[in-house]
Amino acid sequence: MPRYDPRRIETKWQAFWDEHATFVTPNQPPRGSRGKLYVLDMFPYPSGSGLHVGHPEGYTATDIVVRYNRMKGKHVLHPMGWDAFGLPAEQHAIKTGTHPRETTYNNIDTFRRQLKMLGFSYDWSREISTTDEDYYRWTQWIFLQLYDTWFDTDHEWTGPDGVKRKGKGRPISELPIPSDVAAQGTAAVRRYQDSQRLAYQSEAPVNWCPALGTVLANEEVSSEGKSEIGGHPVERRALRQWMLRITAYAERLLSELDPLDWSESIKILQRNWIGKSIGAEVDFLVEESGVRGQESGGSGQRANFAAWKDARANAGYSAAPESNVIRVYTTRPDTLFGATYMVLAPEHPLVATITTADQRAAVEAYRQKSSLKSDLDRTDLAKEKTGVFTGAYAVNPVNGQPLPIWIADYVLISYGTGAIMAVPAHDARDLEFATQFNLPVIEVVSSGNDAVPNIGFTGDGTAINSGEFTGLPTAEFKQKIAVALASQGLGKSAVNYRLRDWLFSRQRYWGEPFPIWHEIDADGKPTGLVRAVAENDLPVTLPDMDDFQPKGTPEPPLAAAPRDWLYMTADDGTRLKRETNSMPQWAGSCWYYLRFCDNKNSQSFIDPAVEKYWMPVDLYIGGAEHAVLHLLYSRFWHKVLFDRGHVSTAEPFQKLVNQGMILGENNEKMSKSRGNVINPDDVVGEYGADALRLYEMFMGPLEQVKPWSMNGVEGVYRFLGRVWRMIADDAADDIVLSPTVQDVPLTTEQERLVHKTIKVVTDDIEKLSFNTAISRMMEFTNEFTGANPRPKSAMETITLLLAPFAPHLAEECWQLLGHNGSLAHHPWPTYDAALLVEDEIEIPVQVNGKLRAKIKVPTAADAAAMQSLAESDETIKAQLAGKTIVKVVAVPGRMVNFVVKG
RNA sequence: GCCGAAGUGGCGGAACUGGCAGACGCGCUGGAUUCAAAAUCCAGUGUCCCCAAAGGACGUGUGGGUUCGAGUCCCUCCUUCGGCACCA
């Protein structure tokens, strides 16, 4: 007795698809193609624990879209691969001695087997792994493009897409060299170029994690100052690092986000991360030390200040302030008259020169203490503000008032100019600090509301105590003061971003080596000059190594590579040593969507014609955890490639959807420690891949977070069984068509249901509303289960509609219904809108907005006809008896409402 | 603190541009089939009033508002989840 047997059906059809290369997609569109469609999943990191149920959620969604569009005649690209560099394999190597390569490729085999088991219609001939030499060769090549590019901020241009832009990445050979630099010779020119490249080296304080033996990006450090991986302590340390100048692209990454078909909340997440703010820079002259504090000192200082202002008025505002000037950034230049003190970040270079002898010890102690803390540590201890007076004073440029200069770690060196003017009356942090240290507070903005005190008011209001500007609304004040400051050479309008440059190097083995040589002198010491590895020497392959133990120093594992890998002598006789850092895991995932288009190309990373045909990605689905970093990084790389003419679109991903996380049955995040992990292998073993796919789509809206339910899986499994029994003969010994399925015409009712189901399922797939599409197919099945005979044409329709969701069962039913081969390319059913219209519909009748009856009316009935039909209904008659009808609202095709009184 | 998303039966969820709240599934109850069970099929299932039916009242986090009519629009507050977090 052939019950619904997913195991038999699924292995049979997976073998069929493999054997017939059903889903292999050539780069040339087939004859009659209705256009291309590139549907992409976020490729997984092949972890040792295998696929979890979160993966198939997004993968099933894209597979439905792909299978549906394939039937609609679209030329679909649907690839899969592996983001396979990364720390876990290396950690595993440290523990067990197994080479990361071996671990990684074993894990990939597991993932591939699991994905094939789920019946996704990937074109497996396009499979890639970021760890393949043939792949990371091009990752290195793209890095060299970044290295070869500088950002020309003011360059105005029109791209191949017809969009006008300001700011462009251009070849380093086109960088103008200032004459004074050129005069100093080749080495100086090279250093100048290096300082402008999108990939540059920097001695930067980084997050060094001794336990992992590596530095981490800010994003890889948790708010408690622990590593995201492993939860180990992280400390600060200055190291030479490779950085990518993503900040150059901040404005483009922001403005070019707007036209994309992404959810507004994801766009907002990216915008917040970029964090654009508009304000002004203002310069403050530092008083000469020792003078202030003496009763007689005032006039001399005023003379200094007056002279400086004169000089500025003549010379104008310059890119770099004099050595006795503090430059601040503020979003509220309108509160300049309310500044009562200034704060420098402890690391600010001016601290050393302005601090008075009296205060030196205290200032040094404070700097020492804060140097040990990371940005994150500082915010952690945010309960009370701390800081130290430097003993020095600055002069407020608008009114000549002296302002004590403090250092405090609530001011960050990494944002703005690393210095602020403090306006305690209108800034919460400054107010807290002023209260703590008893500094004066001057109100300069009126809230305009007696209930809201001016002190502590941080909104827009009206200026008070602000000289000639008094009475101006905040917005107008901001404009006027910016103009006034600029004309006096004391400041200018300015924009800041909270986005920081991307720390791009890691001290790991299992990552892409940098294609970079360091020049070294006779003693083996680096000269500070570097060279790119020649393009035809790529890839720089990972040397074979077997010792992965961290050495407890920031020296990367590759520093212990064989000498013939590490050293070389150039044609010009220069001794060269390889860069021994490696790239972060993000690198490979920044451009994988391009390689899928042309994964076998050995001449270039992608053929331009192929790129033009497939790009951009039409639909990209993946987890919300990548809403910021991965998506921002790959947009950045893509824009550089675009500026350099290697790709034809400015943005890689036209439409983006984030699937919601699947929680455990107890409504908590799935984790081993909570013991609520669902293993896809188990679910498939018991209910089949079709049931798993269907359940994950039926749980709820794709983008929503939702808990797992085994009972729910059971439910859709039962549904699939009903579909099977509707078409196959459950009682027969062989697998044969049910005798109830006959070649008979549809009744009018059945015909309407068939066409309605085609319409709603089609519309729902287009909207990615898979849960409702499934419920419509359930309704259909509930109706036809009771039919005898069951028209064969209706069975064919439901089979085709179900195919994107439960492809194995659908293929089997299709065969039972007498068709040869796969239905994967069979045309999607169409419906006739005229057949959806019913002659008579049931509408609600309300009295005073309350439902009192339901009546049947002809579909075409107008308002008057509906009203008279409603009035003749017995219940409504009774409701209306003895009352006055004030008004009747009758909406054709919808409802009737009597408004009565009495 | 700021930004974003969301609160609907016992549970997951549905409801187009304001127009029958609870589609579909789970769970539960009853029945058929069976020696019995599993599986399957049929029926019922928001809460309350009423012996029951007929009928009625209430009902989409809270409180208010707009409207003939509000889950849907506006304002207030509460809760949960996600992101950022001294960014001047």
Side-chain angles (χ1 to χ4, degrees):
Chain A
M1 44 136 214
R3 286 234 183 112
Y4 170 47
D5 179 2
R7 182 171 305 234
R8 176 187 70 80
I9 296 173
E10 290 170 6
T11 47
K12 169 181 166 184
W13 286 99
Q14 283 163 17
F16 178 96
W17 296 328
D18 260 350
E19 194 181 317
H20 293 82
T22 308
F23 307 121
V24 171
T25 309
N27 278 339
Q28 289 72 37
R31 206 170 306 139
S33 160
R34 305 223 178 141
K36 71 95 183 179
L37 190 80
Y38 186 176
V39 179
L40 182 68
D41 290 303
M42 286 183 187
F43 67 163
Y45 173 75
S47 70
S49 44
L51 215 62
H52 64 77
V53 292
H55 288 113
E57 189 190 13
Y59 299 166
T60 303
T62 53
D63 198 54
I64 291 168
V65 171
V66 161
R67 286 177 177 270
Y68 161 76
N69 278 288
R70 197 181 279 123
M71 294 170 80
K72 292 275 255 187
K74 282 272 170 72
H75 186 214
V76 290
L77 178 57
H78 189 40
M80 181 45 79
W82 321 107
D83 185 17
F85 274 128
L87 194 50
E90 192 162 337
Q91 293 292 99
H92 190 252
I94 292 167
K95 267 191 224 140
T96 65
T98 314
H99 195 283
R101 185 179 297 113
E102 195 183 328
T103 311
T104 300
Y105 285 93
N106 281 339
N107 291 349
I108 287 176
D109 287 343
T110 303
F111 267 67
R112 191 190 302 103
R113 175 189 63 75
Q114 289 184 305
L115 290 179
K116 288 201 167 190
M117 165 187 88
L118 291 168
F120 298 126
S121 62
Y122 295 120
D123 176 355
W124 284 104
S125 74
R126 293 174 183 267
E127 177 182 348
I128 54 180
S129 171
T130 55
T131 52
D132 293 343
E133 286 179 10
D134 182 47
Y135 182 88
Y136 71 71
R137 165 184 184 180
W138 299 109
T139 308
Q140 292 171 338
W141 181 86
I142 295 172
F143 173 83
L144 289 181
Q145 298 302 307
L146 287 148
Y147 175 77
D148 187 58
T149 303
W150 64 290
F151 193 75
D152 186 349
T153 312
D154 299 320
H155 188 87
E156 293 189 25
W157 59 294
T158 304
D161 53 3
V163 177
K164 280 194 99 157
R165 294 184 174 79
K166 195 177 170 204
K168 183 180 188 182
R170 298 177 58 196
I172 199 74
S173 58
E174 295 174 13
L175 176 71
I177 307 295
S179 51
D180 59 323
V181 172
Q184 292 167 49
T186 331
V189 169
R190 286 176 65 190
R191 288 205 169 83
Y192 178 73
Q193 287 177 324
D194 286 352
S195 74
Q196 301 297 307
R197 297 175 188 272
L198 294 184
Y200 65 96
Q201 299 181 78
S202 163
E203 193 82 20
V206 295
N207 306 301
W208 159 247
C209 178
L212 297 176
T214 183
V215 291
L216 300 167
N218 285 333
E219 300 85 65
E220 292 165 327
V221 182
S222 72
S223 54
E224 289 86 39
K226 300 275 171 71
S227 62
E228 286 290 355
I229 300 167
H232 303 293
V234 173
E235 60 191 50
R236 266 201 150 194
R237 206 150 166 171
L239 282 181
R240 183 188 58 80
Q241 296 294 328
W242 282 93
M243 309 287 291
L244 296 186
R245 205 180 302 279
I246 190 171
T247 52
Y249 279 83
E251 190 60 46
R252 298 247 315 264
L253 288 167
L254 192 61
S255 63
E256 291 174 23
L257 196 56
D258 292 340
L260 297 181
D261 188 5
W262 294 18
S263 77
E264 201 49 37
S265 44
I266 294 290
K267 288 187 185 178
I268 287 170
L269 234 50
Q270 290 226 342
R271 289 194 193 110
N272 290 347
W273 192 263
I274 295 167
K276 180 179 186 175
S277 93
I278 298 171
E281 286 178 5
V282 187
D283 282 352
F284 290 69
L285 181 70
V286 180
E287 291 187 350
E288 272 165 46
S289 66
V291 182
R292 164 119 314 254
Q294 296 169 19
E295 294 298 319
S296 57
S299 64
Q301 287 302 329
R302 272 198 293 278
N304 277 349
F305 175 59
W308 177 70
K309 271 185 90 167
D310 282 349
R312 278 302 186 94
N314 289 328
Y317 187 80
S318 72
E322 305 91 321
S323 61
N324 60 343
V325 167
I326 295 173
R327 177 163 289 178
V328 305
Y329 172 75
T330 176
T331 54
R332 293 298 300 271
D334 62 294
T335 60
L336 207 37
F337 288 85
T340 58
Y341 64 101
M342 307 202 58
V343 187
L344 304 183
E347 304 87 344
H348 197 285
L350 237 44
V351 174
T353 56
I354 65 170
T355 302
T356 60
D358 299 356
Q359 292 300 106
R360 191 160 302 274
V363 165
E364 271 314 311
Y366 188 79
R367 289 183 78 178
Q368 189 62 37
K369 209 166 68 187
S370 50
S371 75
L372 298 172
K373 305 185 201 166
S374 70
D375 282 7
L376 292 153
D377 283 332
R378 290 187 185 184
T379 61
D380 223 27
L381 307 166
K383 286 203 176 84
E384 265 192 359
K385 294 264 182 293
T386 59
V388 177
F389 180 41
T390 61
Y393 288 79
V395 190
N396 190 333
V398 294
N399 58 14
Q401 289 298 305
L403 304 170
I405 305 168
W406 288 64
I407 64 169
D409 63 9
Y410 81 93
V411 173
L412 308 173
I413 190 67
S414 49
Y415 183 78
T417 59
I420 63 159
M421 65 174 201
V423 184
H426 306 292
D427 181 282
R429 297 150 301 181
D430 297 345
L431 184 57
E432 201 192 317
F433 191 84
T435 310
Q436 177 96 9
F437 294 103
N438 234 334
L439 293 157
V441 179
I442 301 171
E443 331 176 0
V444 290
V445 183
S446 161
S447 74
N449 180 348
D450 290 344
V452 180
N454 294 343
I455 292 181
F457 176 66
T458 57
D460 284 10
T462 310
I464 53 176
N465 302 327
S466 296
E468 61 191 287
F469 298 97
T470 298
L472 289 180
T474 300
E476 198 182 335
F477 193 161
K478 282 185 182 176
Q479 281 178 358
K480 293 209 157 142
I481 188 103
V483 171
L485 288 169
S487 71
Q488 297 169 75
L490 298 173
K492 65 155 197 176
S493 296
V495 168
N496 257 298
Y497 302 89
R498 58 199 304 167
L499 183 69
R500 308 289 154 80
D501 277 343
W502 175 11
L503 174 64
F504 192 67
S505 43
R506 299 290 185 277
Q507 292 65 50
R508 289 181 194 163
Y509 171 77
W510 195 230
E512 300 87 348
F514 280 83
I516 290 288
W517 290 108
H518 292 268
E519 296 184 4
I520 54 175
D521 62 20
D523 302 328
K525 286 205 172 121
T527 63
L529 292 171
V530 298
R531 298 181 179 193
V533 170
E535 270 187 37
N536 45 20
D537 288 341
L538 297 180
V540 177
T541 55
L542 279 169
D544 253 322
M545 293 178 61
D546 45 22
D547 179 16
F548 304 99
Q549 293 300 323
K551 304 287 183 288
T553 68
E555 186 87 327
L558 286 177
R563 292 188 62 85
D564 62 344
W565 186 87
L566 271 179
Y567 294 98
M568 183 180 106
T569 304
D571 292 344
D572 63 6
T574 313
R575 289 283 292 159
L576 302 173
K577 183 184 182 189
R578 277 199 201 277
E579 170 63 59
T580 54
N581 281 298
S582 59
M583 299 188 202
Q585 201 189 341
W586 304 107
S589 61
C590 274
W591 74 283
Y592 72 111
Y593 55 91
L594 290 168
R595 191 62 181 173
F596 276 141
C597 301
D598 201 14
N599 66 324
K600 306 278 197 300
N601 194 329
S602 57
Q603 300 308 304
S604 71
F605 77 114
I606 185 172
D607 179 84
V610 171
E611 185 277 330
K612 219 173 156 129
Y613 178 69
W614 285 118
M615 288 300 289
V617 173
D618 297 287
L619 176 65
Y620 192 23
I621 296 185
E625 68 274 18
H626 294 120
V628 178
L629 298 177
H630 159 62
L631 286 166
L632 202 62
Y633 292 155
S634 50
R635 292 181 62 220
F636 164 50
W637 278 36
H638 197 85
K639 286 184 188 304
V640 176
L641 292 170
F642 176 70
D643 286 6
R644 294 300 304 271
H646 297 301
V647 297
S648 60
T649 66
E651 287 285 338
F653 313 119
Q654 182 52 37
K655 182 179 168 98
L656 171 76
V657 174
N658 285 117
Q659 86 243 21
M661 199 182 2
I662 296 181
L663 304 176
E665 299 213 67
N666 56 356
N667 243 299
E668 290 172 22
K669 206 171 159 170
M670 277 191 200
S671 70
K672 269 188 199 146
S673 58
R674 290 189 180 89
N676 60 354
V677 174
I678 304 287
N679 182 342
D681 281 332
D682 298 344
V683 179
V684 172
E686 192 160 357
Y687 302 101
D690 282 337
L692 175 71
R693 293 169 58 117
L694 202 66
Y695 172 66
E696 294 214 6
M697 294 300 99
F698 188 61
M699 294 172 86
L702 181 62
E703 300 190 61
Q704 194 167 300
V705 178
K706 39 210 178 291
W708 188 267
S709 155
M710 261 322 172
N711 282 333
V713 182
E714 186 96 36
V716 293
Y717 173 73
R718 281 207 283 260
F719 163 67
L720 292 173
R722 282 161 70 92
V723 172
W724 175 248
R725 287 187 297 277
M726 180 169 72
I727 293 171
D729 187 354
D730 204 21
D733 291 332
D734 299 323
I735 296 158
V736 290
L737 193 64
S738 164
T740 321
V741 175
Q742 291 168 30
D743 216 339
V744 294
L746 297 159
T747 66
T748 312
E749 283 300 307
Q750 288 175 336
E751 187 176 53
R752 183 176 299 129
L753 179 60
V754 167
H755 283 255
K756 197 177 130 196
T757 307
I758 296 171
K759 177 180 162 47
V760 293
V761 170
T762 305
D763 292 351
D764 283 349
I765 293 176
E766 296 278 353
K767 286 186 292 189
L768 309 183
S769 179
F770 305 118
N771 54 334
T772 53
I774 293 165
S775 70
R776 297 301 196 158
M777 291 189 280
M778 287 172 167
E779 284 176 300
F780 180 102
T781 305
N782 289 344
E783 276 311 309
F784 276 93
T785 299
N788 190 357
R790 286 194 278 271
K792 191 176 163 198
S793 70
M795 297 304 100
E796 289 177 328
T797 302
I798 192 67
T799 299
L800 293 170
L801 294 181
L802 187 61
F805 299 82
H808 311 89
L809 175 62
E811 293 275 23
E812 185 71 8
C813 290
W814 192 241
Q815 194 176 55
L816 266 186
L817 287 161
H819 300 274
N820 284 322
S822 170
L823 51 58
H825 291 85
H826 189 277
W828 185 251
T830 54
Y831 63 91
D832 181 350
L835 295 173
L836 303 177
V837 184
E838 300 189 45
D839 314 333
E840 221 183 27
I841 51 167
E842 194 181 57
I843 61 155
V845 181
Q846 304 174 344
V847 177
N848 282 345
K850 287 203 156 107
L851 177 71
R852 293 301 175 188
K854 294 178 187 182
I855 58 166
K856 290 209 163 170
V857 301
T859 308
D862 62 10
M866 286 167 61
Q867 183 179 340
S868 70
L869 280 167
E871 277 167 340
S872 59
D873 180 85
E874 290 304 324
T875 321
I876 297 302
K877 259 188 205 163
Q879 285 282 339
L880 296 179
K883 292 178 179 144
T884 320
I885 298 177
V886 181
K887 186 177 175 181
V888 180
V889 182
V891 182
R894 289 255 180 244
M895 44 69 71
V896 180
N897 186 15
F898 293 94
V899 185
V900 301
K901 128 182 132 172

